[in-house]
Amino acid sequence: MYNLGLLRIPVAAASVFAVLLSTSPHGVSAEDHSHHQQMIDKNSGYSVTKANYPLPKVKLINTEGESVSLDSIVSDGPLLLNFIFTTCTAICPIMTATFMEVQDAASKQSITLKQVSISIDPEQDTPAVLQGYAKKFHARDDWRFYTGDKTDIIKIQKAFKTYRGNKMNHTPLTLIRMSSTAQWVRIEGFASATDVIDEYRKLMTE
Amino acid sequence: MLRLAFASTLLLLTSLPGYAAEHGTVTDLEIGQRIYRDGILPDGQPVQALGAGGSILSGKAVACMTCHRRSGFGSAEGRRQVPAITGKILYEQRTHAYREIQGGRHRGEGARPAYTDSSLAQAITQGIDNVGRRLDPLMPRFSFTDSELALVIKYLKNLETLHAPGITDTQIHLATVFTPDTSDDQKIAVRTTLTALFRQINAESRHEDRRAKYGPWSEHWDYGSYRHFEVHFWELSGPSSQWGEQLNKYYAQQPVYALVNGIGTETWQPVHDFCETNQIPCLFPSTELPGKSADHFYSLYFSTGVELEARAAAQYLAKQTTAEHVLQLSRNDAKGYRAVTSFTHAWQTAVPHTVIEHRLTTNVNLDLEALTQLLTTRHVDTIIAWLPEEDLSPLVTLLDTTPSVQRLMLSNSYVKTTPNAFTPSLGAKTYLLSQFIPESKRAKHLVRYLSWAKTNHAETNNTLASANAFYAGMMTVNATRNLRANLVREHLIEELEPMMDNGLYFSVYPNFTLGPNQKFASKGCFVIGPMYPPSNEKNAVLKTEWIVP
């Protein structure tokens, strides 16, 4: 079975996670506890935690087919990162629609935000396929899509503790980092564009 | 603008306006299908809905089929279960919650009474099920008029609920097709493998019907669909234009649930067309020339075949600074044509490179004089030879002595390795395109197949054909078993997609992956070479590069 080392909050079941929190924090390891600051929004279906993730020294491939190091992709902030694949039917269309709305909201509110979407189906999602996907969701210059070597993409998912073996087992995850020295903020679940922007604003004022 | 009516109270689903009349010959079910599959309303506008996190979704992204799939049997992503929405299932009471069956960490439908038209309408538009629970946030809340809603519900009620042809109370019939160009050793390999495999599977599962009959409900659920597999071998003859008719005849005599493996070296298009037209799953035939069609759904292939090699060659050469003027040599047949056109298209899409296509007349040796003339008048730095050994051997001297030619690429769908006639100097500039694991590493990869073949006395002279047949047979059996009682063909295809990534065996391909609506499981190709490494690296392992075009 899965041991995600994370809190799982059922949507619209405030009472359930109240119980979870007060009694047994199901699946949260001691190690995670020491690093994470738990912040839970009781009215929505997502959880927010903070952590540092040591990232592997690997290269990804952008939609132009150029090789780019992961370090340089995540070097500046503020940065928003998610994992998707283009033939995904249930979770990714929503994740990607949210990124599209964040892009629009950010530009309207004059927020500078880099957005990164990494494919977890790299052999299907070639640079050309990702280019088409980016176009379909009106991605502009600040929102980049990446594919890469299958084993490198697995390393990245493992580093962010989101590798589930089979791409069909993936769960919705959004990561925010304000700068290369800051901690990653991990949003598990479906946060709306407004929620994401709110999380970003909270971080700005910290 | 978004047409949302979330505050709407119960919708009245009484008599429908006469859509069939208004839309000429288009039936309600066809209109319903367009809403279900494409997210297009009767007036041509995209369907609109409110998604999780408040995002506004429209059109295909929010079409029912996107998540609930073509079959209506739903899907699973992460721990989320997208429930089945066929009429039969919705209008039946659900006695057990999904997590009772799958374990507590899984999300899915709870127990519920049977839906009615009005409670179903409420679920679709407001995201509330028929006992007042909120549906998973993944389920969008749709904005439909009463008449649109009625069309959707009518379509759901009509989704396939009967057993497909080829299924009887006790048997599942399958067929394996051989096109006339299949060699005897290929046929023997496939027949031996599939016959032994289904004999073994049938023997292992012979008590399952008793378990279903006398066990508790969960055992009925697990084993109630037990049936014997029976495989039929269909041999085609004559030109490919006649195969469709022959297939129809075979099918009329013995309906089958699916085609499993099969071999065709010339073309697979007529078999592909037969399967797509009759809505029959065609699972992993061994072919270098998979069929193509606009609404390709029922045929799953190991790879795009020789086209994959061609596109990989283009991607590989685009990175080489010394590759600009490419000459392609091929026979004048369907496979040669597909290889050459696929390469030319890929090679010229990126950069307007030079490419010369030079074809042999079928089964007649290359006109050496014409080729010599061509190589003296045109500058060629790279040659891709889509040719078998007998065509290559006479070219050795010419290729070896033309100084401008820096690179020769051969295809593993024509040759296994460099022909014996090759000189070391020609071998030193020869590369091999291969979709398969290099020979030296295959044994480890095929360990499951090889040990199975040994213990089941099913070893053959053609490991490649047998390993492919074994893989196709195992996947067909496992996917069919996973469907339990829901032996719907569309569902079989959908079931196979997520199974591929977790497979324990790969045949001779390095790895397989499929996802929703992906039809080709292996997506990359090795470029191996140079085939004769420099003498000081004699014992060196050949260099391989994995290209995903």
Side-chain angles (χ1 to χ4, degrees):
Chain A
M1 283 307 290
Y2 307 104
N3 181 4
L4 307 182
L6 289 162
L7 257 183
R8 210 163 58 79
I9 291 98
V11 174
S15 57
V16 175
F17 56 71
V19 172
L20 264 175
L21 277 178
S22 60
T23 57
S24 80
H26 189 71
V28 177
S29 72
E31 187 198 17
D32 289 333
H33 253 329
S34 63
H35 293 297
H36 293 190
Q37 180 199 343
Q38 308 279 353
M39 298 190 297
I40 291 147
D41 182 345
K42 291 198 178 188
N43 297 317
S44 58
Y46 64 91
S47 72
V48 183
T49 52
K50 279 189 180 183
N52 289 316
Y53 301 109
L55 298 182
K57 300 282 173 212
V58 293
K59 288 195 167 177
L60 293 175
I61 298 164
N62 65 17
T63 49
E64 306 303 314
E66 297 154 350
S67 187
V68 195
S69 75
L70 176 63
D71 281 344
S72 71
I73 292 167
V74 301
S75 63
D76 341 310
L79 174 90
L80 210 57
L81 185 146
N82 70 4
F83 294 94
I84 51 110
F85 63 101
T86 63
T87 56
C88 166
T89 53
I91 292 173
C92 314
I94 290 167
M95 298 290 290
T96 307
T98 303
F99 258 43
M100 187 171 78
E101 287 168 27
V102 168
Q103 176 184 250
D104 291 344
S107 86
K108 274 183 201 140
Q109 299 172 35
S110 305
I111 295 171
T112 317
L113 197 59
K114 244 173 68 172
Q115 288 171 264
V116 171
S117 294
I118 299 176
S119 169
I120 57 166
D121 189 13
E123 297 204 333
Q124 172 72 19
D125 294 339
T126 58
V129 170
L130 284 179
Q131 207 166 46
Y133 191 74
K135 207 169 157 189
K136 191 172 135 192
F137 286 95
H138 311 290
R140 293 192 293 267
D141 283 353
D142 281 344
W143 181 9
R144 296 294 170 105
F145 290 78
Y146 296 91
T147 180
D149 186 82
K150 198 180 159 185
T151 51
D152 290 340
I153 300 262
I154 291 174
K155 279 184 202 161
I156 297 172
Q157 291 177 75
K158 283 184 174 168
F160 282 114
K161 300 190 191 307
T162 188
Y163 182 58
R164 305 277 183 275
N166 184 330
K167 63 180 175 288
M168 295 303 287
N169 290 341
H170 75 144
T171 53
L173 171 69
T174 309
L175 294 142
I176 310 179
R177 191 163 75 164
M178 298 309 279
S179 75
S180 56
T181 52
Q183 276 191 311
W184 287 97
V185 174
R186 179 187 188 96
I187 305 178
E188 296 253 9
F190 291 113
S192 70
T194 317
D195 296 331
V196 172
I197 297 275
D198 284 352
E199 290 300 332
Y200 165 86
R201 289 200 183 284
K202 271 188 225 164
L203 292 167
M204 283 295 278
T205 55
E206 267 178 18
Chain B
M1 267 312 289
L2 187 63
R3 307 175 309 131
L4 293 175
F6 296 124
S8 72
T9 49
L10 272 191
L11 292 149
L12 287 174
L13 293 161
T14 50
S15 64
L16 287 169
Y19 265 87
E22 281 173 31
H23 295 79
T25 53
V26 183
T27 64
D28 282 358
L29 286 177
E30 284 166 332
I31 303 165
Q33 179 170 302
R34 224 154 67 108
I35 301 174
Y36 183 90
R37 290 191 180 175
D38 305 319
I40 296 172
L41 294 169
D43 61 5
Q45 293 298 307
V47 167
Q48 291 194 306
L50 198 61
S55 55
I56 294 159
L57 304 163
S58 76
K60 188 120 189 170
V62 82
C64 317
M65 185 175 84
T66 304
C67 295
H68 295 279
R69 310 306 309 277
R70 190 190 277 238
S71 68
F73 277 97
S75 59
E77 247 183 72
R79 275 159 282 141
R80 288 165 193 274
Q81 179 73 13
V82 179
I85 54 165
T86 63
K88 182 169 178 276
I89 291 173
L90 288 175
Y91 286 77
E92 214 170 53
Q93 184 190 5
R94 192 178 166 89
T95 52
H96 298 275
Y98 183 75
R99 58 178 72 207
E100 276 182 66
I101 301 165
Q102 289 291 326
R105 293 183 68 79
H106 288 262
R107 283 186 194 179
E109 255 196 313
R112 54 153 178 78
Y115 271 97
T116 61
D117 286 359
S118 61
S119 59
L120 188 53
Q122 176 178 275
I124 295 170
T125 57
Q126 297 170 53
I128 308 281
D129 79 0
N130 62 358
V131 286
R133 284 178 299 225
R134 261 180 68 180
L135 296 175
D136 190 289
L138 272 183
M139 171 69 180
R141 277 156 286 160
F142 288 89
S143 166
F144 282 133
T145 64
D146 289 3
S147 59
E148 288 160 359
L149 205 42
L151 286 163
V152 172
I153 291 175
K154 186 169 181 178
Y155 184 75
L156 296 183
K157 285 181 179 172
N158 194 64
L159 272 170
E160 176 73 58
T161 51
L162 299 172
H163 283 326
I167 306 274
T168 70
D169 285 346
T170 54
Q171 284 172 312
I172 295 174
H173 291 275
L174 303 169
T176 298
V177 171
F178 297 122
T179 65
D181 47 286
T182 312
S183 69
D184 285 345
D185 80 292
Q186 285 175 318
K187 281 185 211 168
I188 292 167
V190 173
R191 270 177 185 272
T192 307
T193 305
L194 290 181
T195 306
L197 178 65
F198 287 113
R199 193 197 303 126
Q200 181 209 351
I201 297 287
N202 288 336
E204 282 173 358
S205 52
R206 66 189 182 279
H207 296 305
E208 289 186 8
D209 52 349
R210 288 231 304 272
R211 278 185 202 147
K213 203 168 167 188
Y214 301 114
W217 71 269
S218 59
E219 295 217 345
H220 178 75
W221 191 73
D222 265 342
Y223 299 113
S225 56
Y226 161 75
R227 281 168 178 81
H228 250 72
F229 287 95
E230 186 145 341
V231 64
H232 305 272
F233 296 95
W234 293 353
E235 297 207 21
L236 303 178
S237 60
S240 60
S241 57
Q242 295 171 7
W243 299 352
E245 202 184 314
Q246 294 170 28
L247 287 165
N248 284 326
K249 224 178 241 174
Y250 275 123
Y251 187 58
Q253 276 167 14
Q254 175 56 66
V256 294
Y257 178 54
L259 299 194
V260 54
N261 190 236
I263 294 199
T265 45
E266 190 54 39
T267 174
W268 196 255
Q269 190 67 44
V271 190
H272 177 100
D273 292 341
F274 164 77
C275 288
E276 297 294 325
T277 307
N278 294 291
Q279 308 185 331
I280 303 169
C282 175
L283 307 177
F284 308 111
S286 293
T287 173
E288 294 297 339
L289 287 174
K292 294 186 174 191
S293 56
D295 192 20
H296 177 178
F297 180 80
Y298 293 91
S299 309
L300 299 183
Y301 293 99
F302 285 117
S303 77
T304 52
V306 75
E307 180 180 333
L308 175 60
E309 293 181 358
R311 288 171 46 228
Q315 183 156 318
Y316 175 80
L317 290 176
K319 291 189 298 182
Q320 314 301 318
T321 48
T322 54
E324 277 178 36
H325 305 279
V326 178
L327 165 68
Q328 294 192 85
L329 303 174
S330 74
R331 284 191 169 191
N332 194 10
D333 57 17
K335 189 169 158 188
Y337 179 78
R338 184 166 302 177
V340 166
T341 50
S342 303
F343 175 82
T344 301
H345 181 258
W347 185 235
Q348 294 189 326
T349 302
V351 198
H353 289 292
T354 313
V355 62
I356 311 161
E357 298 171 7
H358 191 84
R359 253 167 240 156
L360 282 70
T361 320
T362 307
N363 299 330
V364 172
N365 279 342
L366 190 68
D367 183 346
L368 257 182
E369 215 170 289
L371 185 58
T372 312
Q373 178 72 14
L374 196 154
L375 286 173
T376 44
T377 52
R378 302 283 300 266
H379 177 82
V380 169
D381 51 50
T382 303
I383 296 178
I384 309 178
W386 306 105
L387 296 173
E389 181 157 356
E390 64 262 34
D391 292 346
L392 283 166
S393 301
L395 304 180
V396 169
T397 315
L398 176 64
L399 297 178
D400 209 4
T401 54
T402 307
S404 68
V405 176
Q406 305 197 10
R407 192 180 290 101
L408 171 65
M409 304 195 84
L410 306 179
S411 152
N412 195 200
S413 23
Y414 290 93
V415 291
K416 275 187 170 178
T417 182
T418 43
N420 288 330
F422 271 38
T423 56
S425 56
L426 184 57
K429 52 183 180 183
T430 300
Y431 296 78
L432 182 66
L433 295 159
S434 176
Q435 300 168 54
F436 308 140
I437 295 251
E439 296 254 11
S440 57
K441 294 178 189 162
R442 267 187 215 172
K444 188 176 156 198
H445 210 69
L446 289 176
V447 70
R448 273 173 194 269
Y449 158 69
L450 292 170
S451 53
W452 171 85
K454 198 170 180 190
T455 48
N456 287 278
H457 310 292
E459 286 162 306
T460 72
N461 293 328
N462 192 325
T463 307
L464 173 61
S466 294
N468 279 350
F470 178 73
Y471 181 86
M474 283 304 279
M475 291 307 276
T476 305
V477 168
N478 291 342
T480 308
R481 286 285 151 85
N482 287 353
L483 299 188
R484 299 196 169 84
N486 305 317
L487 293 164
V488 173
R489 287 161 163 179
E490 291 75 18
H491 196 26
L492 179 68
I493 299 289
E494 294 156 6
E495 184 63 31
L496 277 161
E497 291 164 352
M499 280 174 64
M500 302 293 289
D501 291 40
N502 293 356
L504 297 171
Y505 22 76
F506 307 94
S507 182
V508 290
Y509 297 84
N511 69 69
F512 289 135
T513 168
L514 284 181
N517 297 318
Q518 296 181 21
K519 304 296 171 196
F520 303 95
S522 179
K523 299 167 204 281
C525 176
F526 291 104
V527 176
I528 306 172
M531 296 303 284
Y532 290 16
S535 55
N536 57 351
E537 296 175 24
K538 258 294 182 240
N539 297 321
V541 179
L542 291 183
K543 248 173 79 176
T544 60
E545 192 173 335
W546 177 246
I547 307 278
V548 183

